[in-house]
Amino acid sequence: RESGMLQMKGYTDLAIGYQFLNDYRAATASYLKAADLAARLGDKDDEARILDNMSSLLLKLKDYQSAYAYGLRTASLSREKGDTLYLISGLISMGNALGGMGRYDSALLCFREAEQMSVQAPYMQKVALIGANRGVVRLKQGKPDLAVLEFQNARALAETHYYPYLVAASLKGLSDCEIARGNYRAADAYTAAAI
């Protein structure tokens, strides 16, 4: 068992290294090996964590079907174990994947469930992240006015709790909204602030 755990950790570390090098295909292969080992060892906590990383990686590759499947598996394992944090992460991945597939109403339902749990926990960083992700979906729906509200709320929450990355992500989202509305000067200002 100990050698299997070390091997799983090695594959996970290798995947993270590949991810930092932007070699997402190699990272995916290493994550799959690590997840397979975790499943064979019966380590559902590590399996959920690894599958969550896989789902996020597949979202970057725009492989929304696979990202959804791994997000669902993360959520299922986490629900079974009572792990709220990774259950929320799995739901967020599922929402982002559904948004990528154009299934906006389903995406918003995943975000709603994740947000309710995040507020109760409380995981305010996740609440801000969910707001920004919901803004992306609203923008894809062609509803920039609703998207602006989501990004503004996410930005305010991120500023209050000092999550600089989420402040920048919200500003970028606001820039995208202004581009959609044809307000290029305002978009430029948001982009400059995000940078």
Side-chain angles (χ1 to χ4, degrees):
R1 177 162 171 86
E2 188 175 325
S3 73
M5 294 295 282
L6 287 172
Q7 195 174 14
M8 179 184 67
K9 181 168 176 16
Y11 281 128
T12 302
D13 290 346
L14 189 59
I16 291 167
Y18 281 129
Q19 203 166 342
F20 279 115
L21 294 172
N22 296 322
D23 189 345
Y24 298 136
R25 300 267 179 228
T28 300
S30 293
Y31 277 134
L32 280 173
K33 290 175 184 173
D36 181 57
L37 275 167
R40 283 192 277 145
L41 293 167
D43 187 341
K44 292 185 179 184
D45 291 331
D46 275 333
E47 185 181 3
R49 181 178 49 79
I50 293 163
L51 293 174
D52 184 53
N53 288 345
M54 276 278 301
S55 185
S56 296
L57 191 61
L58 290 163
L59 286 168
K60 288 181 183 181
L61 293 172
K62 298 186 187 318
D63 182 351
Y64 299 121
Q65 294 283 353
S66 298
Y68 179 83
Y70 287 115
L72 178 61
R73 182 76 178 130
T74 298
S76 297
L77 285 169
S78 300
R79 196 180 303 271
E80 191 178 304
K81 294 287 290 179
D83 183 343
T84 304
L85 181 60
Y86 277 99
L87 174 54
I88 291 166
S89 287
L91 287 166
I92 292 170
S93 290
M94 290 166 59
N96 286 327
L98 289 164
M101 291 186 273
R103 296 174 53 195
Y104 305 127
D105 291 339
S106 297
L108 294 170
L109 287 174
C110 285
F111 292 148
R112 181 180 304 136
E113 184 180 355
E115 183 178 47
Q116 288 169 347
M117 283 187 267
S118 297
V119 168
Q120 287 176 351
Y123 295 125
M124 299 318 288
Q125 184 176 17
K126 295 289 188 190
V127 175
L129 175 63
I130 292 162
N133 289 337
R134 202 169 33 230
V136 170
V137 168
R138 292 297 191 192
L139 196 54
K140 286 180 179 180
Q141 284 180 308
K143 299 177 179 178
D145 294 338
L146 287 176
V148 165
L149 294 175
E150 297 289 1
F151 288 122
Q152 285 173 339
N153 291 336
R155 176 187 177 187
L157 191 58
E159 286 173 343
T160 298
H161 294 279
Y162 193 69
Y163 303 126
Y165 169 77
L166 290 172
V167 172
S170 298
L171 288 166
K172 190 234 182 260
L174 287 166
S175 176
D176 291 341
C177 291
E178 294 306 333
I179 289 169
R181 297 197 288 191
N183 300 329
Y184 302 112
R185 189 165 286 167
D188 236 14
Y190 282 127
T191 298
I195 290 168

